[in-house]
Amino acid sequence: MNPKPHAFKAIVTLAVSGLLACSALAVEVGQPAPAFDLPGQQGTVQLSSYKGKTVYLDFWASWCGPCRQSFPWMNDMQKRYGAKGLRVVGVNLDQKPEDAKAFLATTPAQFDIAFDSAGQAPKQYGVKGMPTSLLIGPDGKVLMVHQGFKAESREELESQIKQALRIKE
Amino acid sequence: VTVKSPLSIALAAGLSLLTGCSNLGQVQPWEKGQLAKPSMTFEADPLDQRFMQHIYYSKDRAPPAASCSPR
């Protein structure tokens, strides 16, 4: 038996790359938001169709408690800042579409909903927690990445939205 | 055929095991629907939880095992 140096090198490279592969790249502030094209409640939901609007993109699932709490708030934001150019887009990540339907029946959404049961969009965005929300400017660049939803963070998120829409206090 | 270095073989074998089961299938944050079910928590049944609590409290209140009192 004679271990070849090439084989050894290859194994080392494989092992190291396997370790590095665990960390998915997350979208950061300033980067262009990855495009997606997903089925929605009425027709498809395309990120590119929101160009010129400020988008509050939210990744949610029916089993996620904070997501349920965030829905009335997102309805409120859409109602209050919709005229100023805000569009709230909720991307559902349930693996079973029925779960999402049941959730929406009890927690109505007055904003655009897209369904991504395959989880393509969150992979592109490098979602690390549920819910994850992003603010995307009219130019398609990410302005904010936020994880989770707490009662305390509402004001902070609203001020971020106001800042993105250039609304003075 | 000479065994060049058993250490390098061992090292290669060890390194190939380093990633372990991490590549078997990663559960992404959005795939944790099953784990979020109430039955997946440690305290799923309130009655069972109270029963466990009762056992713990009563055992804690009992004298230590090393004491002289007969049991």
Side-chain angles (χ1 to χ4, degrees), chain A residues 46-125:
Chain A
Q46 268 181 306
L47 186 65
S48 54
S49 66
Y50 295 99
K51 205 138 211 170
K53 303 273 182 200
T54 302
V55 177
Y56 183 87
L57 183 68
D58 184 73
F59 290 101
W60 65 278
S62 67
W63 46 265
C64 148
C67 302
R68 195 177 284 276
Q69 288 169 19
S70 73
F71 264 58
W73 180 82
M74 289 198 287
N75 283 338
D76 191 34
M77 289 299 111
Q78 180 61 73
K79 210 161 91 190
R80 269 204 271 171
Y81 301 112
K84 298 273 197 317
L86 181 76
R87 290 289 177 277
V88 179
V89 181
V91 178
N92 173 260
L93 305 175
D94 273 298
Q95 279 152 318
K96 284 189 206 149
E98 311 92 79
D99 294 344
K101 298 257 153 60
F103 179 97
L104 290 170
T106 55
T107 318
Q110 279 122 38
F111 48 86
D112 294 345
I113 297 282
F115 300 97
D116 188 4
S117 53
Q120 278 306 313
K123 207 172 270 174
Q124 280 179 304
Y125 279 82

Side-chain angles (χ1 to χ4, degrees), chain A residues 1-3 8 11-12 15 18-19 22 63 93 95 119 122-123 127-128 130, chain B residues 1-4 8-9 11-12 15-16 18-19 26 29-33 36:
Chain A
M1 225 170 109
N2 192 3
F8 180 70
I11 289 170
V12 171
L19 282 175
C22 303
W63 46 265
L93 305 175
Q95 279 152 318
K123 207 172 270 174
V127 169
K128 290 213 173 77
M130 297 290 286
Chain B
V1 185
T2 54
V3 176
K4 211 175 192 178
S8 71
I9 300 170
L11 203 64
L15 274 170
S16 63
L18 201 59
T19 49
Q26 276 190 357
W30 57 91
E31 295 171 343
K32 293 188 175 167

Side-chain angles (χ1 to χ4, degrees), chain A residues 134-148:
Chain A
L134 295 98
L135 257 180
I136 301 164
D139 56 351
K141 290 216 171 117
V142 176
L143 298 171
M144 176 208 82
V145 183
H146 182 84
Q147 260 181 51

